[in-house]
Amino acid sequence: MGTVVDDAASVEFHAFFERHYAELSRLAYMLTGESDAADDLAADALLALWHRWDRVRAADHPVAYARGVVANLARTRIRSAVRERRRIALFWSQREEKTENPDVAGVVDVQGALRRLPFRKRACVVLRHAFDLSEKDTALALGISVGTVKSQTSKGMAELQKLLGDQGVPQRVHAAMAPRAGQSGGRNR
């Protein structure tokens, strides 16, 4: 059960929400250009305000504070989207489309072994060896340090060697040999 102070704060916040949600959503839309994101950002901002409501309601201009929270959330969303677009562009810019005389059975075995690696090791191995990305470009694509790329790639290759045994780990598996979306990546055993 809430106290009288909690109930009063709740009623006050609810009134603030009703008065300013639409305005904050419009602001988020104008900043991001995304209508779906605008509603989410406004809701996230109001949730953050609720968690600090005692401090916000004591402020000289609570609406200005709310607008600042929306602007910061929008900036973070835009920066994240830009980083993601860069990673995708970097990933696809290195993609080769054809491989002559592929060793399909070997590729299937390598794909199965890769699926057994933890994600970060798998991503490092694939980006470094299948897509020929540099350590720096791999680090950029994954949002990790170059040192992490080096260690994860080394550990991933060692694990692949153990998983593949006598078959050996190919030095290079072309990304073009990977199955397209909707295709099966394995063979029946």
Side-chain angles (χ1 to χ4, degrees):
M1 250 193 187
T3 63
V4 174
V5 174
D6 291 338
D7 291 341
S10 180
V11 167
E12 187 180 349
F13 178 78
H14 183 73
F16 182 87
F17 180 97
E18 292 296 325
R19 263 191 323 269
H20 299 290
Y21 176 79
E23 172 194 346
L24 296 174
S25 182
R26 282 192 308 273
L27 172 62
Y29 174 74
M30 296 299 290
L31 294 173
T32 64
E34 302 174 24
S35 59
D36 292 339
D39 288 335
D40 291 343
L41 290 173
D44 289 347
L46 286 162
L47 178 62
L49 293 175
W50 171 245
H51 289 297
R52 297 178 195 90
W53 187 243
D54 288 339
R55 193 171 23 176
V56 173
R57 73 184 192 180
D60 291 334
H61 302 286
V63 176
Y65 186 82
R67 290 179 187 136
V69 172
V70 169
N72 287 333
L73 290 172
R75 180 183 312 117
T76 299
R77 182 177 180 87
I78 291 166
R79 285 179 178 166
S80 294
V82 167
R83 280 192 303 270
E84 183 66 20
R85 285 185 201 119
R86 285 181 185 154
R87 288 178 184 147
I88 290 169
L90 179 64
F91 179 80
W92 288 108
S93 70
Q94 301 291 323
R95 188 173 171 106
E96 294 181 26
E97 292 302 321
K98 281 192 168 185
T99 301
E100 292 188 29
N101 302 322
D103 177 7
V104 176
V107 170
V108 171
D109 291 339
V110 170
Q111 287 175 343
L114 281 169
R115 280 192 293 276
R116 294 178 64 189
L117 294 179
F119 176 78
R120 186 177 283 179
K121 287 179 187 173
R122 181 181 343 138
C124 288
V125 168
V126 168
L127 291 173
R128 290 283 293 126
H129 294 283
F131 287 88
D132 285 331
L133 292 185
S134 68
E135 291 167 343
K136 181 180 175 185
D137 288 341
T138 300
L140 178 65
L142 297 176
I144 58 178
S145 72
V146 172
T148 301
V149 169
K150 289 178 182 181
S151 72
Q152 293 295 295
T153 302
S154 175
K155 290 174 184 176
M157 292 299 287
E159 285 183 40
L160 281 177
Q161 185 69 45
K162 286 179 186 175
L163 291 169
L164 293 171
D166 293 337
Q167 301 167 18
V169 179
Q171 293 301 311
R172 178 163 159 64
V173 175
H174 292 280
M177 294 169 60
R180 302 274 187 240
Q183 293 180 339
S184 174
R187 64 179 179 196
N188 295 329
R189 293 190 185 235

